Amino acid sequence: MKILKTIVSTLLLAVATAAGLAAQTLEPASATGGGEARALSADGRWMAFERDGNVFLYDRNTRTNVLVSRAAGSTTQGGNGPSSQASVSADGRYVVFGSMATDLAAGTPDAEYRFFLFDRLTGAVRLVGRTGPFDGPGQPHTARISADGNWVAFTSFAPNLVAGQQEPPSPSDTSDVFLWSRETGSTSLVSRTAAGAAVAGNRGSENPLLSSDGRYIAFYSFATDLVPGQGPGDADPDLLLFDRTTGKTVLVARIADPLILTGRGAPAFSMSADGRFLVYNVWGDEDLESWLYDRTVGTPELIHATAETPRMSADGRYVVFRHAIDFQLYLWDRSARTTTLVSRPNPAAYTISSTGRYVSFLSADLGPAGQTPAPEREAREDNYDLFLVDRTAGTTVLISRSKTSPSLAAGGAEGPLLMSAGGEQVAFTSAVDFAAADSNHLRDAYLFSLTAPTGGGPTPLPPCKLLDTRRRADRPALRSDTRRTVRAAGVCGVPSTAKSVSVTVTALQGTGKGNLRLYAGNDTVNSSGILRFEKNATRSATFNVPLATNGAGTIAILPFVAGKGTVQVIVEVNGYSQ
């Protein structure tokens, strides 16, 4: 059995083949200005990064950047204050970020640090919550967006975010956890007591994590009055789970030491995508212990008696953790109830894919992976390299590779480590110039992929009108609740094989306030974008809309106008994807 384990471990640490290396890419988001990676979409296409006090969104397919923290009315001018702390939805459409700028969105009252939401499809920036201020830029992980992009959880010291909000008389700077709805714009208090939905806990609450649909919010709190059983004199933090649907909060664990909550720069607890399982650290008799909490059962289970900073796969089956004594990386399988070695190097940080197939980690130890240090690699203890383990294929890929050879470890990799849901893309930050196009010697946001980009983005076309309801052939104006189908494939240079089109949609002369919803021609459920407009106002936005899957090559527009009114609509195609 020992020989078999040795063989398996050796396979797990094998260097990727030359054929695999040919498909891999390692690109900086900007080879001229530097940057720091902050968030990655589920498909690994969109990476949010920070540079010079602004937040950008990098498109891996087109290798282009979009300014997120933009001043209102501009796509290229940054806000008048620093922005940071980006978090993205699973599809990369929505980005939540913090900023002290006052010119990003209407209604921003002053230059306090607040959170904003950017919509990549419309280019609009909205203020999150009714008011602020929120935690400052020095507080990591204080705002997160749900995978579906509909919910934002954040920490704030503000006493008036929720109508009738009641704060304890002391201390006056107590932080609370809130949940904001993108669809309704409403804010609710998460760190509430049983006395009411607007009654805040008597001490601070922080670090919210959300389930994919935003129903469950895990957070830690020093409050002693959020759930029954918390002692009035207990000053240690607790880990809690809030259910948005029922409004109930349950006690997951007594952490008993605020230091272990930081978890090497990130919360020392992790949650499955459906909010059923949580893993966390507590102090045992001698060492840190990792435990599993099952929401459906309500009782904890010991994972390992000497483990720290557990990270759970999104499907809730696997937990990767660092051994608290031998400092090696291990994987626990909840279904099989087994623990296996992932890698021998001392990991400084690590993350796991949604199904547990891939594990990425930082390590200063190169030996077991078979790499040798590059000539330019600095010799220091905190000089880390980045690796990606494929547990299915039994391979380990060196990501922080030298320009001159993929087997030479250049070092300089920094967290946070960001992984796509599938695990084939990893984002990180480094001051080492890995890519041929990078020679700025600045800290850059890098995006690594095991596979080449699936496409180069939409093929541009000269602007061409698919629909203009003011034209005789396209009359009449669209009426509320009446769907209009428009042919796009085979028109205006769009080939019949196109799968989607990039269109600029304009609403004008509306008889009342309303919106336009865009769909694939034969889809009545999944909207690809919404354009909102006011009465008699002109509004435009660009969307990427899939074509009908039945071969008709059409898109559809469904208007909603107050008073069952009408609106004139222009649809102009400017690109397509196949």
Side-chain angles (χ1 to χ4, degrees), residues 156-159 167-176 202:
S156 175
F157 291 97
E167 293 289 331
S170 179
S172 60
D173 61 348
T174 296
S175 61
D176 288 302
N202 57 10

Side-chain angles (χ1 to χ4, degrees), residues 71-157:
S74 175
T75 59
T76 58
Q77 180 182 340
N80 58 10
S83 300
S84 60
Q85 296 188 36
S87 174
V88 301
S89 59
D91 62 0
R93 173 173 176 176
Y94 298 102
V95 183
V96 62
F97 63 98
S99 181
M100 295 188 72
T102 60
D103 59 349
L104 304 181
T108 306
D110 49 43
E112 295 285 355
Y113 196 83
R114 305 173 189 281
F115 286 108
F116 296 84
L117 184 76
F118 170 77
D119 184 339
R120 175 174 51 80
L121 294 186
T122 66
V125 177
R126 296 173 61 185
L127 179 64
V128 172
R130 297 195 316 158
T131 182
F134 303 137
D135 271 357
Q139 302 293 325
H141 308 295
T142 53
R144 291 180 181 269
I145 190 168
S146 59
D148 63 9
N150 291 331
W151 303 91
V152 175
F154 59 87
T155 304
S156 175
F157 291 97

Side-chain angles (χ1 to χ4, degrees), residues 255-432:
I255 300 298
D257 187 347
L259 293 179
I260 67 175
L261 290 167
T262 58
R264 292 176 174 265
F269 56 92
S270 181
M271 183 166 61
S272 60
D274 60 2
R276 174 180 174 179
F277 298 103
L278 285 98
V279 291
Y280 55 91
N281 274 147
V282 297
W283 278 110
D285 294 335
E286 298 181 0
D287 298 297
L288 282 174
E289 298 175 348
S290 284
W291 288 76
L292 172 78
Y293 175 84
D294 184 342
R295 174 176 48 80
T296 63
V297 177
T299 56
E301 175 185 354
L302 180 65
I303 296 174
H304 202 281
T306 52
E308 63 181 25
T309 319
R311 292 285 177 264
M312 170 167 274
S313 59
D315 62 5
R317 175 171 178 175
Y318 298 100
V319 178
V320 62
F321 63 89
R322 175 177 135 135
H323 199 285
I325 296 178
D326 65 20
F327 305 116
Q328 299 184 85
L329 198 60
Y330 289 88
L331 185 93
W332 182 71
D333 184 335
R334 180 180 56 81
S335 297
R337 292 298 193 273
T338 56
T339 300
T340 56
L341 178 67
V342 175
S343 181
R344 295 185 183 277
N346 184 355
Y350 40 88
T351 187
I352 186 170
S353 64
S354 60
T355 62
R357 173 175 176 174
Y358 293 96
V359 176
S360 182
F361 62 92
L362 291 174
S363 177
D365 187 346
L366 300 176
Q371 281 81 27
T372 56
E376 68 271 19
R377 190 177 191 271
E378 297 182 20
R380 65 175 194 269
E381 291 184 358
D382 62 344
N383 192 17
Y384 299 112
D385 278 284
L386 180 57
F387 300 89
L388 181 63
V389 174
D390 183 342
R391 298 177 50 251
T392 301
T395 58
T396 297
V397 173
L398 171 67
I399 295 178
S400 53
R401 59 185 63 159
S402 171
K403 288 181 180 181
T404 60
S405 171
S407 62
L408 294 179
E414 305 174 27
L417 301 185
L418 311 167
M419 181 178 280
S420 62
E424 295 184 334
Q425 289 78 35
V426 180
F428 65 104
T429 302
S430 179
V432 175

Side-chain angles (χ1 to χ4, degrees), residues 360-506:
S360 182
F361 62 92
L362 291 174
S363 177
D365 187 346
L366 300 176
Q371 281 81 27
T372 56
E376 68 271 19
R377 190 177 191 271
E378 297 182 20
R380 65 175 194 269
E381 291 184 358
D382 62 344
N383 192 17
Y384 299 112
D385 278 284
L386 180 57
F387 300 89
L388 181 63
V389 174
D390 183 342
R391 298 177 50 251
T392 301
T395 58
T396 297
V397 173
L398 171 67
I399 295 178
S400 53
R401 59 185 63 159
S402 171
K403 288 181 180 181
T404 60
S405 171
S407 62
L408 294 179
E414 305 174 27
L417 301 185
L418 311 167
M419 181 178 280
S420 62
E424 295 184 334
Q425 289 78 35
V426 180
F428 65 104
T429 302
S430 179
V432 175
D433 297 337
F434 296 115
D438 188 3
S439 58
N440 59 25
H441 304 297
L442 299 173
R443 297 176 73 242
D444 286 309
Y446 270 92
L447 182 55
F448 169 83
S449 179
L450 287 174
T451 58
T454 55
T459 300
L461 289 172
C464 177
K465 289 181 180 179
L466 298 175
L467 175 73
D468 186 342
T469 57
R470 300 170 303 175
R471 299 186 304 197
R472 183 182 298 273
D474 295 334
R475 294 175 184 170
L478 302 193
R479 182 167 294 280
S480 184
D481 302 315
T482 302
R483 185 181 173 100
R484 174 76 68 92
T485 300
V486 180
R487 181 168 179 81
V491 181
C492 289
V494 178
S496 59
T497 55
K499 302 297 185 184
S500 64
V501 289
S502 176
V503 292
T504 298
V505 180
T506 302

